[in-house]
Amino acid sequence: MINIERKKQLDKLIGKIDLNLNKYYLLNIALTHPSYVFENGQKRDEHNQRLEFLGDAVVGLIVGEYLYKEYPNKTEGELTKIRAAVVCEASLARAANRLGLGPYLLMGKGEKLAGGSKRNSNLADAYESVVGALYLELGLDKIKDFTLKYIMPDIEKVISGDYGDYKTQLQEHLQKQQSVMIEYKIISEEGPDHDKEFKSGVFINEKLYATGKGKTKKEAEQKAAEASLRKMDILK
């Protein structure tokens, strides 16, 4: 059950969303971190991971359709590259911050004390989860403008040539050289299931070149790619 105080909080967010939403259940789940469920003994399906899975697909579709229609002269490869740079953890976390999702997140005490409401991985998951919840409640057509509104600054940034995607930058740099193979491997995992930290390694021609850590595998890979670019003096 959602108590009166929580409903008041969600009403404020619903006002920001401005989509005539009058249901709380899915929106509340979208903002519930797994650590909160584990700590409070709730059912495993009452956190946002399943909605995040759905929302990831919905955001990708909405951004993909927008790029297809707005940039008819770009090739399939260019559109794929742009979408990958936009629908990524850092970009989605910024979208969540623009919407102001952090204060609405429910999380366990440990996660909250560790700054979980400001962590990119949690914010990105929350944004995708909210989109997933709105999709189920309202349908695709009604949420397109909402979804694009908060991610549009990153779309415009990438279109201008600022990708901010270190894996793509590293791949493009290495492609200039012949017979170079690049691979990402998770070297280690630490922490409980709801608060893991991953360490990823960049292997160039099967040799470990650099490593990076993150709260998700994607974030760890990006950090490893960033470290590689800095080691190559491509990033300062």
Side-chain angles (χ1 to χ4, degrees), residues 192-211:
D193 287 343
H194 67 275
D195 190 27
K196 278 190 178 297
E197 182 177 68
F198 298 91
K199 183 177 182 181
S200 176
V202 176
F203 289 79
I204 299 176
N205 289 338
E206 300 184 345
K207 292 183 179 180
L208 180 63
Y209 187 77
T211 63

